[in-house]
Amino acid sequence: MTRTVFVNGDYLPETEAKVSVFDRGFLMADGVYEVTSVLGGKLIDFAGHCRRLARSLDALEMTNPHSDDEWLAIHRELVARNGIVDGMVYLQVTRGNPGDRDFAYPAADLPPTVVLFTQSKPGLAESPAAKTGWKVISIPDMRWGRRDIKTVQLLYPSMGKMMAKKAGVDDAWFVEDGFVTEGTSNNAYIVKGNKIITRQLSHDILHGITRAAVLRFAREAQFEVEERNFSIAEAQDADEAFITSASAFVMPVVQIDGKDLGSGKPGPVAARMREIYLEEMRKAAV
Ligand code: PDD
């Protein structure tokens, strides 16, 4: 089936959707994005993704082209037109097409380029990987210094994913100055007893929407939450580990750099947080 995608106000068959070769997103990675999950035809934590989109645009001095209500209407229309039950909506806003290549930003009134498309993933929440967990390797964090802005410059995360694949594992955890920053496209956590530990928010990591929700639910479920740095050695010695993202939800991590964590099987805290997250988020989906 040909997907219907959204480009600058129009719903088009994907084969007819076009963006200029002079688009700043294409030439300069000058754009931001969001990925929102769809479960049972409804959007998960939509308000959170709208908030972060506004923050990313603001950080790059770009005007938000739509109100939250308009974004919601576009997302819902695309989900409906593509018959998405479980999957994702990808949204990208770039600084637009100035008609030529120039390092300086074009005039602020240049219309941005807005693209959205869906990805169908039937059974997304029942991923078999959640039962077996992910294996990860650690690699140096060689990304730029504003990882809190969700930009489309994803080359190093993409290289990291390939390093993981070549090593026969599922993902890579970035390490900077001896401490884990995050995964290639997710936030990283370790568990020690009743305590969930994850790196504190700063410019060094993306402020995950799933992270915010999971930490809130963890506190409500009487887990202790510690937002601080941790090393690979501390992680390898932890009872459990997991990652969070809009598309993987809460995913257990069972091995780091070849060393099994605990029994080498997903731990109870990760399983519990995945269960709570999915249950609460399905209830709040729009
Ligand atoms: N990635 N850290 C990085 C570097 C990410 O790219 C992501 C999300 C996260 C988790 O953020 P959230 O919980 O808001 O999804 C953390 C998305 C899913 C992606 O690029 O596909």
Side-chain angles (χ1 to χ4, degrees), residues 33 35 52 150 182 184-187 206 208-210 245-246:
Y33 76 107
V35 176
R52 186 174 57 197
K150 200 165 170 59
E182 56 190 332
T184 58
S185 58
N186 47 68
N187 291 116
L206 187 74
I209 300 307
T210 320
S245 77

Side-chain angles (χ1 to χ4, degrees), residues 135-139 169 173 175 178 180 188-192 197 228 230-242 253-264:
K135 295 174 180 169
V136 303
I137 53 167
S138 63
I139 60 172
V169 299
W173 278 12
V175 175
V180 174
Y189 306 72
I190 58 172
V191 179
K192 289 173 139 185
I197 301 159
R228 64 159 172 87
F230 61 87
S231 65
I232 287 293
E234 185 180 6
Q236 286 176 319
D237 205 35
D239 299 327
E240 295 182 34
F242 62 90
V253 168
V254 295
Q255 189 190 87
I256 303 172
D257 283 339
K259 183 167 187 298
D260 283 350
L261 270 75
S263 61

Side-chain angles (χ1 to χ4, degrees), residues 33-36 48-49 52 88 90 119 143 147 150-151 154 157 174 181-189 204-212 244-249 277:
Y33 76 107
E34 282 296 328
V35 176
T36 305
H49 289 284
R52 186 174 57 197
M88 267 98 77
Y90 176 90
Q119 291 181 299
R143 298 173 299 163
R147 304 155 192 160
K150 200 165 170 59
T151 75
L154 295 174
F174 295 133
T181 50
E182 56 190 332
T184 58
S185 58
N186 47 68
N187 291 116
Y189 306 72
D204 299 339
I205 61 168
L206 187 74
H207 300 189
I209 300 307
T210 320
R211 177 190 183 279
T244 64
S245 77
S247 49
F249 311 118
Y277 177 80

